[in-house]
Amino acid sequence: GQQVMQIPQYQHVQEGEDFTTYCNSSTTLSNIQWYKQRPGGHPVFLIQLVKSGEVKKQKRLTFQFGEAKKNSSLHITATQTTDVGTYFCAGRNAGNMLTFGGGTRLMVKP
Amino acid sequence: DVKVTQSSRYLVKRTGEKVFLECVQDMDHENMFWYRQDPGLGLRLIYFSYDVKMKEKGDIPEGYSVSREKKERFSLILESASTNQTSMYLCASSLPGGNSPLHFGNGTRLTVT
């Protein structure tokens, strides 16, 4: 079945440093979604990418969808303590099934 | 704003007990989902439903069943709880179609002793 791998599993950064999490699918995706889960909270939808090579920005967050629609990344510029949480990618295949990656837990030292 | 409500935040049950996890959404969403979340494994789909009385197996349905008698309510049933079902359970809902985001409930942390 479809597999979605996400790396790294954990990342510690100093406040102000940049952060990137990568997502790779074993199959071509029709779209990819990103979610953020704060400690003790539930996943909250951030964004969806649909087109090959698409880049979207939300303030300090930059999301990319690969040309082959099999990988994606989330980059945070100048992290803040409010960025702490676990970031999940979720890839949707042609059969309309959504598969989540294992998540990247971001910890930010003030 | 979509609200997905799970009946319990924390639950402790004994091995062999029948366990019901309830989920209600208030936005008239057709699609409802049950996931379990375990460290390093992300969210794994147990069951989903695209309509009332309809259910489909997800990636890890063994040991679980579901019920959707009303559009707003989706119940997850552990027929005979086992310790390997200790986990965080998350319910979600969405509009139909492949471009709709999931709206999650706050989760139920189930411990089976």
Side-chain angles (χ1 to χ4, degrees):
Chain A
Q2 178 187 341
Q3 291 188 344
V4 176
M5 306 300 292
Q6 197 173 344
I7 57 169
Q9 191 171 353
Y10 303 96
Q11 183 84 62
H12 291 257
V13 299
Q14 196 73 39
E15 189 172 21
E17 290 182 341
D18 292 357
F19 159 77
T20 305
T21 172
Y22 300 90
C23 187
N24 289 288
S25 170
S26 57
T27 60
T28 302
L29 301 170
S30 57
N31 63 51
I32 193 158
Q33 298 177 347
W34 285 91
Y35 292 79
K36 177 183 178 181
Q37 184 176 26
R38 293 182 187 275
H42 57 275
V44 174
F45 174 76
L46 293 176
I47 208 161
Q48 177 171 273
L49 305 170
V50 178
K51 299 176 186 174
S52 169
E54 189 170 14
V55 178
K56 286 189 176 180
K57 293 193 175 188
Q58 287 181 348
K59 298 183 181 177
R60 295 177 294 103
L61 277 62
T62 302
F63 303 84
Q64 291 190 310
F65 201 8
E67 294 289 342
K69 298 184 76 173
K70 294 182 74 173
N71 56 70
S72 182
S73 65
L74 158 58
H75 179 82
I76 302 179
T77 303
T79 55
Q80 300 175 357
T81 54
T82 52
D83 295 325
V84 162
T86 302
Y87 293 84
F88 292 97
C89 63
R92 193 178 297 279
N93 63 17
N96 207 31
M97 294 303 298
L98 194 67
T99 301
F100 280 81
T104 296
R105 185 178 169 193
L106 172 64
M107 289 154 280
V108 180
K109 287 181 276 189
Chain B
D1 207 18
V2 177
K3 191 152 187 196
V4 180
T5 304
Q6 294 184 230
S7 54
S8 304
R9 189 79 171 107
Y10 299 95
L11 213 50
V12 180
K13 295 292 181 181
R14 292 189 182 274
T15 300
E17 278 193 80
K18 191 168 186 175
V19 182
F20 293 86
L21 302 183
E22 305 287 347
C23 176
V24 178
Q25 51 94 4
D26 66 358
M27 283 302 290
D28 205 34
H29 283 173
E30 283 79 2
N31 301 344
M32 295 190 76
F33 307 84
W34 275 106
Y35 289 88
R36 65 176 281 178
Q37 182 176 14
D38 301 288
L41 297 177
L43 282 70
R44 292 180 292 165
L45 183 63
I46 305 171
Y47 267 95
F48 61 98
S49 169
Y50 288 156
D51 202 352
V52 176
K53 296 197 186 290
M54 176 267 179
K55 59 185 177 184
E56 292 282 349
K57 293 180 180 179
D59 298 319
I60 52 165
E62 295 78 21
Y64 304 94
S65 62
V66 290
S67 172
R68 192 161 182 205
E69 296 296 319
K70 294 185 178 182
K71 189 175 185 180
E72 67 270 19
R73 186 180 296 269
F74 194 34
S75 304
L76 180 68
I77 304 151
L78 286 65
E79 296 291 341
S80 176
S82 63
T83 54
N84 63 14
Q85 292 179 309
T86 291
S87 187
M88 170 68 84
Y89 289 88
L90 289 162
C91 175
S93 73
S94 77
L95 290 168
N99 289 327
S100 301
L102 300 181
H103 299 267
F104 285 89
N106 285 333
T108 296
R109 183 164 294 281
L110 173 67
T111 303
V112 182
T113 62

